[in-house]
Amino acid sequence: MSAKSRIRCDLDLDDRTPGRRLGRLSIPHSRHESGYGVIPVPIAVLNGGEGPSVLLTAGNHGDEYEGQAVLRDLIRELDPTRLKGRLIVLPALNLPAVLAGRRDSPLDGGNLNRLFPGDPNGGPTSMIAHFVDTELLPRVSWALDFHSGGSSMEYLPCAMVRAANDPALAVTLKAAMLAMRLPLGLTVQATQDTRTLPAAGLARGVAHVACEIGGGGSLTPSSAAAAEGALYGLLCHAGVLELDTPSAPPPRLMNVAGADHFLFATARGLFVPEVALGQTVTAGQRAGRILSIEEPERPPIALHFARAGLVVCRRVPAQVAPGDCVAHVATDAGT
Ligand SMILES: [Zn+2]
């Protein structure tokens, strides 16, 4: 199997000439409608003076919009002469999913954030993962990947990092979360899936952070502002940009440490929640009930939180099926 990417980038990624350059990744995608067709994924490189390189990505999931908006604004508005370093910016990383407004790609069903390190001979989504892993991550020391709850979930605004075994790396990631000007900083152990972009970044020694802001397939004034604060907070922390910004209160640092932090539907039906996003719950507290759609005479099925915590994420659509996550909690770090 060839380890070389089949994706062509029309920018020379090693050209450190100061300035702003816009280009495309061309992903080969031969199909009935377009025999020699490619998928043109936008990429921008903003080069300033000497300094670190930062990879900024959004549209990893196509139905998560805060990062897509804020990175487009950055590409147009940030003067590269203000940078001490380089930004590599992809505001629509999985372009087919972004155009479809879907979490996964309509071309191959690929969920990009479950396909790292990717495959140069796989479908378009796997080819994107492989390009990021082999061509972009080795060129940067910092990375920020923007997420939200997508169409099916909604998050309180939070910075998010993986729990690192390396103590020095854990300190680095915690300091980055403190700088991101969001109300929460979550360290996630319960979903340590190794197929994610941040996992690929950490495996390559990149200080890779993510954020989860908003969701429900929407974009709001507050969620867009939170994403902007996270972006510029991290850029200043990484040392590529200096801004005079008012100080922000430090985030509440929390953990998502175990499977019992997540609550799943056990039946098909209409989920009637009894707790709200941002509410503190106790172990055993009733989260809501599932009403049968086809058999209204059936007694509701109650769902209970397995452990106490802050509800940081909730399901948006009211209809649920067995296995749908309806909420998850986080617990204060150190508890
Ligand atoms: Zn996402």
Side-chain angles (χ1 to χ4, degrees), residues 163-188:
N165 293 327
D166 175 0
L169 182 57
V171 168
T172 298
L173 297 177
K174 179 181 173 184
M177 284 201 296
L178 292 173
M180 287 170 66
R181 311 176 68 84
L182 292 167
L184 295 175
L186 299 190
T187 300
V188 180

Side-chain angles (χ1 to χ4, degrees), residues 58-59 61-70 72 97-98 100-102 147-148 150-151 213 215-219 223 227:
H61 291 137
D63 59 344
E64 303 175 3
Y65 299 106
E66 287 75 11
Q68 297 185 39
V70 77
R72 286 181 171 84
V98 169
R102 291 184 56 83
H147 289 264
S148 80
S151 301
I213 299 172
S218 72
L219 192 56
S223 71

Side-chain angles (χ1 to χ4, degrees), residues 60-61 64 103 113 146-148 212:
N60 180 336
H61 291 137
E64 303 175 3
R103 183 176 185 81
N113 217 32
F146 282 91
H147 289 264
S148 80
E212 296 276 5

Side-chain angles (χ1 to χ4, degrees), residues 2 15 161:
S2 166
D15 179 359
V161 301

Side-chain angles (χ1 to χ4, degrees), residues 2-264:
S2 166
K4 180 143 178 62
S5 177
R6 298 180 186 279
I7 295 176
R8 186 174 57 82
C9 179
D10 59 10
L11 297 180
D12 177 357
L13 293 171
D14 295 318
D15 179 359
R16 298 298 294 262
T17 309
R20 178 197 341 262
R21 291 178 297 134
L22 299 170
R24 297 286 183 271
L25 308 182
S26 293
I27 306 166
H29 185 51
S30 176
R31 57 204 185 273
H32 176 77
E33 300 80 9
S34 184
Y36 297 149
V38 299
I39 302 164
V41 177
I43 182 171
V45 176
L46 279 69
N47 273 324
E50 284 295 310
S53 292
V54 184
L55 175 65
L56 300 169
T57 51
N60 180 336
H61 291 137
D63 59 344
E64 303 175 3
Y65 299 106
E66 287 75 11
Q68 297 185 39
V70 77
L71 291 186
R72 286 181 171 84
D73 286 342
L74 175 144
I75 289 170
R76 291 193 325 279
E77 296 171 1
L78 181 62
D79 179 357
T81 62
R82 296 177 59 194
L83 291 172
K84 293 177 182 158
R86 169 175 66 169
L87 307 182
I88 300 175
V89 190
L90 295 101
L93 183 58
N94 193 357
L95 183 69
V98 169
L99 292 173
R102 291 184 56 83
R103 183 176 185 81
D104 43 24
S105 172
L107 302 182
D108 56 11
N111 175 349
L112 178 57
N113 217 32
R114 300 294 183 276
L115 282 171
F116 281 84
D119 180 354
N121 299 315
T125 314
S126 199
M127 291 171 74
I128 294 171
H130 180 264
F131 183 87
V132 173
D133 186 53
T134 59
E135 298 292 335
L136 299 183
L137 289 174
R139 289 180 161 87
V140 301
S141 51
W142 287 91
L144 170 57
D145 190 30
F146 282 91
H147 289 264
S148 80
S151 301
S152 68
M153 307 296 289
E154 180 185 8
Y155 265 95
L156 295 177
C158 59
M160 186 176 277
V161 301
R162 294 169 63 84
N165 293 327
D166 175 0
L169 182 57
V171 168
T172 298
L173 297 177
K174 179 181 173 184
M177 284 201 296
L178 292 173
M180 287 170 66
R181 311 176 68 84
L182 292 167
L184 295 175
L186 299 190
T187 300
V188 180
Q189 208 153 32
T191 54
Q192 292 275 55
D193 198 311
T194 55
R195 302 168 297 171
T196 67
L197 172 50
L202 295 182
R204 288 195 176 272
V206 176
H208 207 307
V209 295
C211 54
E212 296 276 5
I213 299 172
S218 72
L219 192 56
T220 68
S222 63
S223 71
E228 188 173 76
L231 169 64
Y232 287 99
L234 184 79
L235 293 182
C236 291
H237 179 71
V240 289
L241 192 62
E242 284 182 16
L243 289 174
D244 283 330
T245 51
S247 62
R252 182 177 176 183
L253 294 178
M254 305 192 84
N255 293 330
V256 182
D260 61 356
H261 287 61
F262 292 77
L263 181 62
F264 295 92

